[in-house]
Amino acid sequence: MKIDSVDFFYLAMPEVTTAADGSQDALVVRVSAGGLSGWGECEASPLPSIAAFVTPMSHGACRPVSATVLGATLDGPEDIKRLAGEVAFNSMDLLQAAHTWSGIEMAMWDLLGRSREVPAWKLLGYDKAFPKTPYASVLFGMTPQNTLERAKEMRGLGFRAAKFGWAPFGQSLTSDIAHLDAAREGLGRDGILLIDAGQVFGEDVDAAALRLDAMERNKVTFFEEPFHGSAYLAYGQLSNRTKTVKTAGGEAAHNRQMAEHLIDFGKVGFIQIDCGRIGGLWPAKQVADYAQRRGVTYINHTFTSNLALSASLQPFAGLEEHTICEYPTTLQQLAVDLTTNHIVPDGNGEIRVPDAPGLGIEVSPRALTRYAVDVEIKVGGKTIFSTPVY
Amino acid sequence: MKIDSVDFFYLAMPEVTTAADGSQDALVVRVSAGGLSGWGECEASPLPSIAAFVTPMSHGACRPVSATVLGATLDGPEDIKRLAGEVAFNSMDLLQAAHTWSGIEMAMWDLLGRSREVPAWKLLGYDKAFPKTPYASVLFGMTPQNTLERAKEMRGLGFRAAKFGWAPFGQSLTSDIAHLDAAREGLGRDGILLIDAGQVFGEDVDAAALRLDAMERNKVTFFEEPFHGSAYLAYGQLSNRTKTVKTAGGEAAHNRQMAEHLIDFGKVGFIQIDCGRIGGLWPAKQVADYAQRRGVTYINHTFTSNLALSASLQPFAGLEEHTICEYPTTLQQLAVDLTTNHIVPDGNGEIRVPDAPGLGIEVSPRALTRYAVDVEIKVGGKTIFSTPVY
């Protein structure tokens, strides 16, 4: 097959706020080849990601992603791996290319899986997929009381595990301790409690470490993204100071090496990969293999639609011991409506990666129209991008 | 002062080829505040970089760069440092933001310097600027004979040092050895010979190491970018296998930490920073300080205009022992015409950072018009960017 076209659908809620809620917009990608289509989603800023596909070339090492992808051969997994290397080289100086490519790569696995009638996780090399224990991924409440209520609510919905993240966490030690206590109280003694600091401590290891006592006492399983995504030394120092709590991170990785470095130098106990940023399913699968060899637990990072959730489950679907997975529970309506089928917890509170061809998720044509953001980009008087009509 | 506006000028040669020549287009930035203007240049793909400034917000951690910059206070260096932290946080998930911010940050130092009538390097904390020995930065010839001639030509122009880079290097061992021998022959026995592999070996340490014998024999000073910019382990392994040749890299760093990691984990002997990518002058100055403490030599990376060259000289202007600097010599006419003044070698073959306010380089209004690429971006029916009229 030859890749005939790559279409980008920029979708957004009517109102987008400064909440740390990644489901307020979406960049959905459709790759067409051999009369088939596959779908992916970039976990990225839509407009710059579209620009990275359509922009004129700057020079040989700063080519648009389209230059490598359009017209390329796609007959099997080896083609996807080869194209990944070519995009990395040809778009070396185009920073946003990694995020653009991520959604395209994902769509290619979906397309190949549909073509061969096998799930993507089988194409990645797994024989069997194991159930995962979803943790409800929510934001902290504005007050400890709100956090307590949110934790109880998640427990009431059947979640054994919950992750609380972002503001107001990090604003004051007293407040943080109150939120940690509240989250544990709401979740109950046996719940799995996870904390996401959203990089709020920058590189300040001491400030982050001040929260460790309250975390140990509240039996927090992991302390996610205390620092800037590239601050491996700060991660490493904090990791050396924890006892029962482990550090977690990796969502900022936009290539495989960054995730491996966070394991080796940041000494994280949990590596969290977003397939919509790291370059898709294949680098994520390589990180999962690497994590396993290093005794680190692999987890997906997902805060968008079920299309992205399915994609991010594929790379560790076959790892039986890596059981917890991120499961966004307070999605904006756009992210809910985007797919016609959904991944939902079963009676045991567990979820399963779809056992259907490709990613096993159907994109809703209605949502592509309903939430469409109209974009037109002209360069040198010529329209190089306009919102595709579904 | 309040930042009133930030204007982006996308310029390009009439024809852009796949040569690894970064001077074929340019993204020039003008920051205006308090009735003054400062100028900078992103070493980046123009369209995605513009998009990263004007795009609608995706969520609180994926805001356009404009959200942090426009209307912000700019009264001194501390404001630039504060804004850098704010951009990193507010645009955490917008990958291209680092490149966009780089040109803006540069323009802020230019503006502040002009406002206070001091060179940017003084604002960065240096009392004195030292001359640098420029190395002619050129591409390999297509044949060893071409490389020999190019080396002779550079020597004839008065350069004591020259760097040869990119294709055909890496294509075959025999050819590479012939090019290395030719470059040394053309440059003469006492010339400083530098080699840039342009990431061609990916992560293949053995393949890169096969070139070491011929490099040692030809007294190559450094072996630049053998690998992918994030492949610190490959760098570290190759660094352990060299004798007299040192490894060099860093141009891909889009934040300070990445450069520090390349020093610590990649064990490079030379750290090469492009202020148009790393986030401007301040992170580059911090890397220069870090390099000094670690016994590593700091060098600018520059393959564009003299505006970018001046910017990239500022962060190590005051380091007397870090003497060599990259000096592009085969610039496209656009990059020559972009500035009305130029940094040229003196009778000793040395160059000096301008001793004039700010970056000390004047942008040519004529070039901004002559090479302008017309861009228009509409989102939701509203024009959010159109090429500014100078």
Side-chain angles (χ1 to χ4, degrees), chain A residues 203-216:
Chain A
E203 290 180 286
D204 189 342
V205 178
D206 289 336
L210 280 177
R211 277 74 183 171
L212 289 177
D213 277 351
M215 288 197 191
E216 307 272 359

Side-chain angles (χ1 to χ4, degrees), chain A residues 92 95, chain B residues 99 199 225 229-230 249-255 258 272 277:
Chain A
M92 189 187 295
L95 198 48
Chain B
H99 282 187
Q199 301 192 11
E225 277 219 320
S230 288
E251 67 177 273
H254 56 81
N255 58 50
M258 292 175 82
Q272 305 169 295
R277 290 188 189 148

Side-chain angles (χ1 to χ4, degrees), chain A residues 2 16 24 27 76 83 98 113 134 145 163 177 240 267 304 344 366 369:
Chain A
K2 293 273 176 210
V16 172
Q24 299 182 81
L27 182 61
L83 285 170
Q145 183 61 28
K163 185 175 85 180
I177 292 173
N240 285 340
K267 300 171 189 169
T304 49
V344 287
R366 203 182 135 92
T369 307

Side-chain angles (χ1 to χ4, degrees), chain A residues 18-19 25 47 55 58 60 89 93 95-96 203 230 232 254-257 261 277 374-376 378-380, chain B residues 18-19 25 47 55 58 60 93 95-96 198 203 230 232 254-257 261 277 374-376 378-380:
Chain A
T18 56
D25 69 4
L47 188 66
T55 188
S58 287
F89 192 80
D93 291 345
L95 198 48
Q96 191 69 24
E203 290 180 286
S230 288
Y232 306 144
H254 55 81
N255 58 51
R256 171 179 58 75
Q257 292 95 340
H261 297 331
R277 291 188 189 148
D374 198 45
V375 175
E376 187 182 2
K378 276 190 195 174
V379 172
Chain B
T18 57
D25 69 3
L47 188 66
T55 187
S58 287
D93 291 346
L95 198 46
Q96 191 70 22
E203 290 180 286
S230 288
Y232 306 144
H254 56 81
N255 58 50
R256 171 178 58 75
Q257 292 96 341
H261 297 332
R277 290 188 189 148
D374 198 46
V375 175
E376 188 182 1
K378 276 190 195 174
V379 172

Side-chain angles (χ1 to χ4, degrees), chain A residues 121 129-132 310 313-314 317 343 351-356 359:
Chain A
W121 51 266
F130 296 93
K132 303 289 177 195
S310 174
L313 289 173
Q314 310 283 336
I343 297 170
I351 66 165
R352 284 161 194 275
V353 66
D355 190 24
L359 301 179

Side-chain angles (χ1 to χ4, degrees), chain A residues 112-314:
Chain A
L112 271 189
R114 287 169 188 268
S115 152
R116 298 181 180 191
E117 300 190 327
V118 290
W121 51 266
K122 282 200 178 159
L123 294 176
L124 290 173
Y126 292 122
D127 293 326
K128 195 177 166 192
F130 296 93
K132 303 289 177 195
T133 301
Y135 61 82
S137 188
V138 298
L139 301 175
F140 275 108
M142 289 315 292
T143 65
Q145 183 61 28
N146 296 152
T147 292
L148 175 77
E149 285 155 14
R150 201 163 286 180
K152 278 187 176 167
E153 186 191 340
M154 292 306 130
R155 200 64 213 245
L157 287 170
F159 289 102
R160 284 178 47 224
K163 185 175 85 180
F164 296 83
W166 296 78
F169 195 80
Q171 288 171 8
S172 96
L173 179 58
T174 316
S175 161
D176 289 1
I177 292 173
H179 277 279
L180 288 166
D181 291 344
R184 169 52 72 198
E185 187 187 336
L187 207 59
R189 204 178 282 184
D190 62 335
I192 298 170
L193 176 58
L194 314 164
I195 300 298
D196 179 1
Q199 302 192 9
V200 76
F201 301 110
E203 290 180 286
D204 189 342
V205 178
D206 289 336
L210 280 177
R211 277 74 183 171
L212 289 177
D213 277 351
M215 288 197 191
E216 307 272 359
R217 178 164 51 76
N218 280 301
K219 296 193 171 28
V220 167
T221 300
F222 70 63
F223 183 5
E224 173 179 341
E225 276 219 321
F227 309 118
H228 184 286
S230 288
Y232 306 144
L233 293 181
Y235 270 97
Q237 286 163 21
L238 186 70
S239 299
N240 285 340
R241 287 162 77 166
T242 64
K243 295 179 203 105
T244 55
V245 176
K246 288 189 174 171
T247 56
E251 67 177 272
H254 55 81
N255 58 51
R256 171 179 58 75
Q257 292 95 340
M258 292 176 80
E260 291 175 357
H261 297 331
L262 194 59
I263 289 173
D264 290 338
F265 309 130
K267 300 171 189 169
V268 293
F270 292 83
I271 188 79
Q272 304 169 294
I273 301 302
D274 199 312
C275 286
R277 291 188 189 148
I278 199 170
L281 271 55
W282 181 244
K285 168 64 163 61
Q286 291 175 288
V287 173
D289 293 344
Y290 194 82
Q292 228 189 352
R293 293 198 297 276
R294 304 277 164 151
V296 163
T297 304
Y298 182 99
I299 317 182
N300 63 306
H301 170 267
T302 309
F303 215 92
T304 49
S305 78
N306 273 214
L307 177 64
L309 177 63
S310 174
S312 284
L313 289 173
Q314 310 283 336

